[in-house]
């Protein structure tokens, strides 16, 4: 539903004031703030029209108006003009992320903490699917006859460990031969390519394998039986709780319960990851009215130009989008740059 210029101006003032103070906005304030030179009575008429169109709601008859999630959607799509991130904040972000450890999980954990600190609300970082990572090396450690630990290291610092049951006659010397062969065979290939090659080659040439090749391929196939689920790093629950009134605790409980439903959360974040850039979503859009008071600003980070993971912040729907949007966007770009410099 389109708004005329006067409605757009009034809605912009109300949303911005609600972002700043989280209180109902009255017609007198709007008349004073607006450049339309209209009386409070005229403003009430415009606000009444916006209420009928479901952009505003009035908690009490004598109270001012509150923007709905529909109003916030219109605001971020048609009115929002994100600010510029200061050089000082950019340097702070660069310095913080550059100190993160070399393991990918440590980098993402630090990223979620950084976002939480910068936004003073929930910070989030979603790990890539393990299938994107490129093979660096594999090592097999014989724990006891018949039981081996497979340590698979990917370019990017991602490490996957699995326990594998093997023939009791396999020795440590055998395992060294297998790992040397596999590292030479799959160096630089991503996990999807490795798995496809293993299945195809074992099927096409299973009767032609020499013993070393056959045992090595079977062993690495067992390593992939249990593929790790994507990790989500969340920080800053206390930041949000500190800002909530007692009446808002139930809303926070709804959010926490939603985030505990890992499957649903991952499905939503997976869809957002596939987007081409920064996204702003509201709880009522991706889940339902239970989360109507919450918003999510997210942006994907990429590997070789392909979105593989997500960073973002979750906060009250009246969070300061003009400040948070450029921050999230910059952190996603910095994370992409770090991955390219460190791990490619």
């Amino acid at each position: 539903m389109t708004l005329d210029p006067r409605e757009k101006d009034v809605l912009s003032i109300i949303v911005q004031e609600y972002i700043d103070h989280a209180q109902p906005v009255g017609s007198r304030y709007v008349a004073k703030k607006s450049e339309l030179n209209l009386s409070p009575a005229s403003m009430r008429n415009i606000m009444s029209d916006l209420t009928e169109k479901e952009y505003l709601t009035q908690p009490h008859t004598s109270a001012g108006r509150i923007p709905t999630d529909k109003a916030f959607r219109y605001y971020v799509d048609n009115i929002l003009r994100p600010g510029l991130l200061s050089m000082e904040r950019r340097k702070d972000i660069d310095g913080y992320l550059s100190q993160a450890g070399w393991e990918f999980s440590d980098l993402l954990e630090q990223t979620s903490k950084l976002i939480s600190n910068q936004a003073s609300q929930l910070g989030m970082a979603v790990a890539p699917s393990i299938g994107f990572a490129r093979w660096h090396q594999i090592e097999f450690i014989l724990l006891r006859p018949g039981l081996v630990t497979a340590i698979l290291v990917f370019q990017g610092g991602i490490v996957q460990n699995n326990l594998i049951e093997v023939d009791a006659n396999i020795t440590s010397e055998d395992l060294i031969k297998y790992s040397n062969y596999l590292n030479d065979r799959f160096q630089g290939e991503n996990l999807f390519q490795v798995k496809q090659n293993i299945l195809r080659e074992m099927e096409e040439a299973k009767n032609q394998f020499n013993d070393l090749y056959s045992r090595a391929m079977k062993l690495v196939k067992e390593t992939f039986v249990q593929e790790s689920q994507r990790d989500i790093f969340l920080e800053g629950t206390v930041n949000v709780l500190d800002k909530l009134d007692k009446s808002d605790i139930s809303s926070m409980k709804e959010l926490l319960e939603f985030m505990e439903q890992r499957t649903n959360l991952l499905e939503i974040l997976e869809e957002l990851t596939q987007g081409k850039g920064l996204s702003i979503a509201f709880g009522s859009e991706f889940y339902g009215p239970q989360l109507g008071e919450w918003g999510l600003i997210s942006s994907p980070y990429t590997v070789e130009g392909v979105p593989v993971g997500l960073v973002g912040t979750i906060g009250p729907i009246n969070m300061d989008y003009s400040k948070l949007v450029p921050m999230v966007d910059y952190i996603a770009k910095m994370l992409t740059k770090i991955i390219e410099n460190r791990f490619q």
Side-chain angles (χ1 to χ4, degrees), residues 81-336:
R81 296 293 180 266
L84 296 176
L85 205 62
S86 69
M87 288 302 299
E88 183 178 355
R89 291 192 72 189
R90 292 186 182 207
K91 289 180 180 178
D92 288 343
I93 291 170
D94 295 352
Y96 189 90
L97 290 181
S98 66
Q99 297 174 19
W102 277 81
E103 283 200 17
F104 204 92
S105 59
D106 184 50
L107 177 60
L108 294 183
E109 182 178 3
Q110 292 300 102
T111 299
S112 65
K113 290 179 179 178
L114 171 65
I115 294 174
S116 175
N117 292 337
Q118 291 281 324
S120 297
Q121 49 196 37
L122 283 173
M124 176 184 66
V126 181
S129 165
I130 195 68
F132 101 93
R134 296 189 179 278
W135 181 297
H136 178 62
Q137 70 177 42
I138 195 168
E139 181 179 358
F140 300 109
I141 299 175
L142 185 64
L143 300 179
R144 60 173 173 77
L147 187 63
V148 168
T149 294
I151 304 172
L152 183 54
V153 182
F154 296 95
Q155 295 175 8
I158 298 175
V159 180
Q160 187 180 54
N161 299 304
N162 281 318
L163 285 176
I164 305 171
E165 293 184 358
V166 299
D167 189 319
N169 295 322
I170 289 180
T171 66
S172 295
E173 289 75 18
D174 293 329
L175 294 174
I176 292 173
K177 293 177 183 178
Y178 301 157
S179 61
N180 288 340
Y181 175 83
L182 293 167
N183 290 329
D184 182 65
R185 171 66 180 80
F186 296 119
Q187 183 66 233
E189 292 189 7
N190 65 46
L191 185 56
F192 288 138
Q193 293 172 319
V194 172
K195 293 173 75 171
Q196 290 169 359
N197 288 337
I198 289 172
L199 295 174
R200 186 184 67 252
E201 293 177 19
M202 290 186 71
E203 181 62 29
E204 292 178 353
K206 57 186 177 182
N207 296 324
Q208 302 175 25
F209 286 168
N210 60 47
D211 186 60
L212 170 63
Y213 189 98
S214 178
R215 286 173 177 262
M217 296 297 274
K218 288 178 180 178
L219 199 56
V220 75
K221 181 183 176 184
E222 290 297 320
T223 303
F224 297 145
V225 168
Q226 295 182 343
E227 186 170 310
S228 299
Q229 193 174 31
R230 297 180 74 165
D231 288 325
I232 304 174
F233 298 86
L234 288 168
E235 293 286 342
T237 303
V238 174
N239 290 336
V240 179
L241 286 173
D242 285 344
K243 294 180 179 181
L244 294 178
D245 296 329
K246 290 183 179 180
S247 60
D248 296 322
I249 296 300
S250 60
S251 176
M252 186 65 189
K253 181 181 177 182
E254 291 281 0
L255 178 65
L256 294 176
E257 289 178 351
F258 163 71
M259 291 191 297
E260 287 179 358
Q261 298 172 12
R262 187 182 180 91
T263 301
N264 290 339
L265 179 58
L266 278 171
E267 286 178 358
I268 292 164
L269 297 177
E270 178 71 27
E271 183 176 345
L272 292 173
T273 301
Q274 301 310 311
K276 294 183 179 180
L278 187 134
S279 171
I280 300 174
F282 302 116
S284 58
E285 296 172 342
F286 60 73
Y287 187 69
Q290 304 96 312
L291 296 184
E293 298 177 26
W294 299 96
L296 166 63
I297 303 172
S298 63
S299 185
Y301 59 91
T302 65
V303 172
E304 298 179 353
V306 178
V308 296
L310 194 75
V311 299
T313 183
I314 300 173
I317 196 170
N318 64 314
M319 57 182 147
D320 193 341
Y321 297 93
S322 64
K323 293 182 179 179
L324 296 179
V325 163
M327 182 269 291
V328 170
D329 186 53
Y330 184 76
I331 289 177
K333 287 182 171 64
M334 277 304 303
L335 188 56
T336 295

